[in-house]
Amino acid sequence: MKITRLLQASAVVGVAALTLAGCASGSGDSGSNAEAAEPKTMKLALNQAQTHPSFIALEAFGEELAEATDGRWNIEVYPDSQLGDQAEYIQSVKDGVIDLAIVSAPQLENVNDDFVVFSLPTVFDSIEHQMAVLSDDEVVGDVYASLEESDSITVVGGLTQGARSIYLKDKIAETPADLAGKKIRVQESPVFISMINALEASPTPMAFSEVYTGLQGGVIDGAENNEISYFTQKHYEVAPFFSYTRHLIGADFLISNTDTLAEMSEEDRAAFDEGWTKTWEHHTELWNSETEKAIAGAEEGGATFEEVDSEAFVEALTPLLDEFITTDSQQELYDAIRGSAE
Ligand code: GCU
């Protein structure tokens, strides 16, 4: 059913593109088709630094795609939030101002609340489980295609964010009680706000690119993320106490403008899909080694990493499952994900 829907959508767009091409080229040039199209470089917006596995894997994706399509398609990655923050990426991809972007699950939750399921504590058992789910068309095909008609956004696939933990400016948080009254930066989404409220702390929604100065200036007392972003964004310099709460395994998604994808010939689209599979596999491989490096680098810079009562954090967050799984489609997605756990 999903595939049929995709084929129908690309057929419609394909006809529209041919009609437009016909108009633009005038009556004398009826031979124009995807093969003869100008080479296209897709802009990809990323809020991570060039040392982050996402940048490394996506840069390689662009190179491979250019090679596999004889230069017809390329990707230029704009790192470091050069093209704005993730909340803006959604609109820019929808408008076709940029073709591709990496956004965190909570950003998509704001467009379709089924995506909340990917941010719930305990939904994924491990990075391996998560990546098996995020690349399984049977489980995620419908939700990935759900924004195509309404928003012209196709979710191409997912990347892991690893386990997220809490870090503070002044101390290790051994239990949720240590967070009482602390202002903790969260991603701009209902589930992350509820998460910090459930820990009796005070959530402050903020764009990723503003977290360093927020911590430095004391607007916030802490934040939550994985070790790699903690290190590559230099948050350890201003919040050196990293507590292994591991309250959830976060997900990022590669989103694309649906019309841009429909411009690809069948052969080029196959090269894109194949390249994407290699990309997320490469990214997952890099994740472990880069996490080790991030820990070592942050420790060298004065950070402390400590195991804490992570069970207590997860337990405090369990009510979120009932709070956020409220529709049949959310329940179905949740059950499918849990059903695929070992
Ligand atoms: C992770 C994730 C990003 C996200 C960020 C955040 O680093 O990979 O996509 O933007 O967390 O906390 O905002």
Side-chain angles (χ1 to χ4, degrees), residues 47-48 86 104 161 164 185 187 208 225-226 229 252:
N47 66 357
Q48 305 287 355
Q86 286 189 350
S104 192
Q161 296 178 1
R164 296 180 73 105
R185 176 268 172 172
Q187 300 178 78
F208 186 54
N225 220 310
N226 54 62
S229 287
D252 275 333

Side-chain angles (χ1 to χ4, degrees), residues 43-52 54-56 58-59 76-85 89 208-209 233:
K43 283 188 184 165
L44 190 158
L46 179 70
N47 66 357
Q48 305 287 355
Q50 296 190 29
T51 46
H52 190 280
S54 298
F55 180 83
I56 298 167
L58 291 163
E59 272 273 292
E76 177 147 18
V77 185
Y78 292 79
D80 292 316
S81 304
Q82 282 172 36
L83 299 182
D85 291 310
Y89 296 170
F208 186 54
S209 61
Q233 295 295 310

Side-chain angles (χ1 to χ4, degrees), residues 54-78:
S54 298
F55 180 83
I56 298 167
L58 291 163
E59 272 273 292
F61 183 22
E63 281 161 26
E64 279 182 29
L65 182 66
E67 205 180 305
T69 61
D70 293 326
R72 288 186 295 278
W73 290 91
N74 203 340
I75 296 172
E76 177 147 18
V77 185
Y78 292 79

Side-chain angles (χ1 to χ4, degrees), residues 129-314:
H129 173 221
Q130 179 189 44
M131 291 314 302
V133 165
L134 298 186
S135 58
D136 183 347
D137 195 49
E138 284 293 312
V139 179
V140 295
D142 282 342
V143 70
Y144 282 6
S146 65
L147 306 174
E148 290 180 342
E149 272 171 35
S150 53
D151 296 274
S152 301
I153 292 175
T154 298
V155 178
V156 176
L159 293 175
T160 193
Q161 296 178 1
R164 296 180 73 105
S165 288
I166 292 177
Y167 43 94
L168 296 175
K169 282 173 74 94
D170 67 341
K171 64 174 180 183
I172 289 290
E174 300 287 350
T175 67
D178 289 328
L179 295 179
K182 297 267 185 221
K183 282 175 275 158
I184 306 294
R185 176 268 172 172
V186 289
Q187 300 178 78
E188 308 98 318
S189 95
V191 74
F192 277 86
I193 292 172
S194 285
M195 221 174 271
I196 295 304
N197 278 327
L199 297 173
E200 310 291 338
S202 170
T204 305
M206 188 182 275
F208 186 54
S209 61
E210 289 164 13
V211 178
Y212 185 95
T213 46
L215 288 165
Q216 194 179 35
V219 174
I220 46 176
D221 304 308
E224 51 87 48
N225 220 310
N226 54 62
E227 299 95 325
I228 296 180
S229 287
Y230 178 62
F231 177 61
T232 54
Q233 295 295 310
K234 301 192 167 54
H235 294 172
Y236 66 92
E237 291 179 355
V238 282
F241 297 94
F242 191 101
S243 310
Y244 273 117
T245 55
R246 297 192 182 91
H247 46 278
L248 71 121
I249 298 177
D252 275 333
F253 294 97
L254 175 66
I255 58 170
S256 171
N257 178 276
T258 304
D259 299 340
T260 303
L261 289 181
E263 281 170 33
M264 290 181 181
S265 67
E266 219 172 280
E267 181 196 352
D268 291 347
R269 179 61 202 261
F272 179 87
D273 290 343
E274 216 170 284
W276 168 250
T277 302
K278 281 195 200 150
T279 303
W280 71 253
E281 287 174 352
H282 180 196
H283 182 272
T284 311
E285 258 173 50
L286 283 173
W287 197 263
N288 288 336
S289 54
E290 292 301 311
T291 297
E292 292 308 312
K293 283 191 210 160
I295 295 169
E299 277 177 343
E300 213 167 288
T304 303
F305 291 82
E306 238 179 82
E307 291 298 332
V308 298
D309 190 356
S310 67
E311 290 283 304
F313 285 90
V314 171

